[in-house]
Amino acid sequence: AQKVTQAQTEISVVEKEDVTLDCVYETRDTTYYLFWYKQPPSGELVFLIRRNSFDEQNEISGRYSWNFQKSTSSFNFTITASQVVDSAVYFCALSPIIQGAQKLVFGQGTRLTINP
Amino acid sequence: SQTIHQWPATLVQPVGSPLSLECTVEGTSNPNLYWYRQAAGRGLQLLFYSVGIGQISSEVPQNLSASRPQDRQFILSSKKLLLSDSGFYLCAWRARSYNSPLHFGNGTRLTVT
């Protein structure tokens, strides 16, 4: 069975602070993909990043960075110098690399509030 | 480029009434299609997925059904809505390549009264 755990239900920080969102996953698959999605107040889910289980290199995209550690089954997301527009619910997700529907399993989400 | 359209954006329906939510994808062919529901607790629950026309898989027993009459059309239906069907419904598509992410529609907020 696959499971994604986002232990932080809600996080609130002041603008310009750095913030890390935790994601821990469980899977028996040896190959898989990990994802992060952002859900702003408008409701749609926006794809942020995909990471292949073969590739443990950290990735940086502007103020966003992701730390994938296979040894601890974690895929954490850090926002540097947070801004009010970063306020949203963030979801971590896991998908096996198999033929077929490739269903994503989502965590429960972390509601991030950036206060001015 | 690919786009996904989902409508209506909001819907208020009485208990016992029927439901039809529609989702269409443009700019791609033979996508995998999904219906998710997001209840008040924020978690995303997969309801149905489809790998082709007429092929529907249900993930959880429920009062809802899904159909895929055309390659890029996915419909979520109910004959009689329950109060517990209230929620935020999201349609999504994914290309068949292994590394393709899910792309979501804007969602339908359904309130059953």
Side-chain angles (χ1 to χ4, degrees):
Chain A
Q2 299 180 324
K3 184 178 180 181
V4 176
T5 301
Q6 294 179 254
Q8 303 152 309
T9 305
E10 297 190 21
I11 299 175
S12 181
V13 301
V14 177
E15 196 172 20
K16 297 184 182 178
E17 288 185 8
D18 299 347
V19 57
T20 296
L21 309 182
D22 298 332
C23 173
V24 175
Y25 62 91
E26 297 173 28
T27 181
R28 294 181 181 177
D29 297 312
T30 55
T31 57
Y32 47 89
Y33 281 109
L34 294 163
F35 303 83
W36 274 95
Y37 284 83
K38 175 182 180 180
Q39 186 179 38
S42 53
E44 78 278 14
L45 271 86
V46 178
F47 166 69
L48 295 179
I49 189 173
R50 172 192 57 239
R51 172 60 71 205
N52 185 322
S53 58
F54 295 135
D55 182 4
E56 290 194 61
Q57 282 189 344
N58 292 331
E59 183 160 340
I60 298 175
S61 176
R63 295 184 297 106
Y64 295 172
S65 63
W66 290 270
N67 181 5
F68 175 34
Q69 293 196 349
K70 205 168 182 178
S71 60
T72 56
S73 298
S74 65
F75 187 42
N76 296 338
F77 173 29
T78 297
I79 301 175
T80 303
S82 60
Q83 300 176 2
V84 173
V85 293
D86 296 326
S87 297
V89 180
Y90 290 86
F91 290 95
C92 180
L94 168 71
S95 171
I97 303 178
I98 57 172
Q99 290 186 343
Q102 298 178 52
K103 298 170 284 184
L104 264 68
V105 174
F106 285 85
Q108 289 299 301
T110 297
R111 182 179 299 278
L112 175 63
T113 302
I114 310 298
N115 299 301
Chain B
S1 64
Q2 302 90 357
T3 56
I4 179 169
H5 303 280
Q6 186 181 341
W7 67 93
T10 59
L11 190 60
V12 180
Q13 293 282 99
V15 168
S17 64
L19 173 73
S20 180
L21 303 181
E22 189 162 342
C23 172
T24 59
V25 181
E26 296 178 358
T28 187
S29 59
N30 203 23
N32 290 332
L33 296 173
Y34 305 80
W35 278 109
Y36 280 86
R37 176 169 59 199
Q38 187 176 26
R42 294 201 312 271
L44 286 161
Q45 180 185 39
L46 178 61
L47 301 177
F48 301 95
Y49 67 90
S50 171
V51 299
I53 295 174
Q55 301 179 60
I56 308 296
S57 296
S58 174
E59 286 295 290
V60 293
Q62 57 201 305
N63 184 43
L64 303 168
S65 62
S67 61
R68 186 171 177 174
Q70 301 180 39
D71 180 47
R72 289 170 289 175
Q73 184 185 28
F74 205 24
I75 298 172
L76 184 68
S77 304
S78 174
K79 292 182 179 179
K80 290 185 178 182
L81 283 169
L82 306 172
L83 285 174
S84 57
D85 292 324
S86 294
F88 190 53
Y89 290 82
L90 289 151
C91 180
W93 75 273
R94 187 177 188 181
R96 292 184 179 274
S97 59
Y98 289 134
N99 62 356
S100 174
L102 271 179
H103 301 279
F104 286 85
N106 289 336
T108 296
R109 190 162 304 280
L110 171 66
T111 303
V112 182
T113 59

